[in-house]
Amino acid sequence: MRELTSTELSSFPSLDWLDIAPRVAPSLRASLEKALETQTGASLTLDEAYALANAEGDDLLGLLVAANMLRAELTGNIVTYVVNRNMNFTNICFVGCKFCAFSRGPRESDAYFHSLETMAQKAREAWQLGATEVCIQGGLPRELDKFYYRDILRAIKSAVPQMHIHAFSPMEIVYGVELTGMPLADYLSMLRDNGLGTLPGTAAEVLDDEIRHVLSANKLSTAQWVEVIGTAHRCGIRTTSTLMYGHCETPAHWVRQMRLLRDIQSETGGFTEFVPLGFVHQNTLLFAQGLARTGPTLAEHLKVHALARILLAGSINNIQVSWVKLNRQLSQLCLHAGANDYGGTLMEENISREAGATAGQYTSPEDFQALILEIGRIPAERNTTYSRINIKLPFNESAFTAEQSMEPEFA
Ligand code: SF4
């Protein structure tokens, strides 16, 4: 099949399903029509999902248009974002993931470790600037005080009791369990009781142990990731879910990961959203050693978002664009390809910037609103769990609050 030019790809939002459907291969068209009709990715077989993940040319355009239609059916025309601050409390890390340009050895000149007082102060500043969430992750330093993660929560909650704390990757949770010797469920319950609101579903990268071994020999296994996430959900801690694409994985890995996430969601109902994370290759060992391609192509960026919309439909209905890894136009295109959420304003974002991403460290709520209005959609600020949204119409005085349940109740 002919490869689409970037101009052809970028103009897909102007296509209508009736324009493109006759040009899509009959079997692929039947799969897309079934997903549109049933509004659930569960209606597709594994082979149908693989075929969608490998779509090219007009088939790919059909996938993008169908994903956008399904997005409109499932989440309407609202595009949400959350006002938050990213707080990486340390960049010192012994794990050595080859895709990471953020971590430092303890003696490097730019290594840092923020005190509990600094973390509390940053949370206070964020609250004063309108943030409703702080997102906290960091490197894994050796000999970390064994209750440090709990103590970060206590410091922030005593400074700003109303702040939602979205913190600690499954890798950090595994480290906390190792440090304390506590059972996983007890450890997570302790964090919850000290103020942990939700957990980022990061450290997933690709949930396939062969690929994980290439990315990082020391990272938690697929089974450990699933165990941490499932246990968190059962402890009443909701999480996000992620996939890192554009390095050494194949489209089959995307499919299997999305289906695994569906399976977890059908058991626990604990995922709030799915976040595709494009690999930023510059400044990474993975790329320097010839183990990865140069990040995702435009077609891959769009395809992953669209595939997620189709395969996760009826299971995880919020698909986020990670704007720090994309440029302005690309993030808008991904919103046309099935996504409905812009993620967080972030205020400071170190991890993608160190790896070479250029989208910046902060997008103000006003910038988000403008980007969303530019593509004809409705901007709305949300809380972390999407249970409250505040629609932002072009004039501030028209803003109003709507309580809206966009997801099934957390089981
Ligand atoms: S991704 Fe996280 S765990 Fe891996 S090296 Fe970077 S900071 Fe450490």
Side-chain angles (χ1 to χ4, degrees), residues 90-103 138-140 169 171 205 216 219 351:
T90 181
N91 60 355
I92 301 169
C93 187
F94 64 78
V95 180
C97 303
K98 288 185 176 176
F99 59 86
C100 176
F102 165 77
S103 72
L140 276 68
S169 74
M171 185 73 213
E205 285 93 48
S216 175
K219 209 74 181 264
I351 292 176

Side-chain angles (χ1 to χ4, degrees), residues 30-103:
S31 303
L32 290 172
E33 285 177 339
K34 184 166 56 169
L36 286 169
E37 198 179 309
T38 59
Q39 299 190 356
T40 169
S43 60
L44 299 177
T45 65
L46 182 60
D47 284 344
E48 286 179 309
Y50 284 150
L52 291 178
N54 286 299
E56 286 176 23
D58 285 340
D59 291 351
L60 174 55
L61 294 176
L63 170 66
L64 303 179
V65 173
N68 194 35
M69 288 165 69
L70 197 49
R71 180 273 309 158
E73 291 287 336
L74 292 170
T75 63
N77 281 330
I78 289 174
V79 176
T80 45
Y81 60 88
V82 60
V83 181
N84 69 353
R85 182 173 196 173
N86 212 36
M87 302 183 356
N88 305 124
F89 70 96
T90 181
N91 60 355
I92 301 169
C93 187
F94 64 78
V95 180
C97 303
K98 288 185 176 176
F99 59 86
C100 176
F102 165 77
S103 72

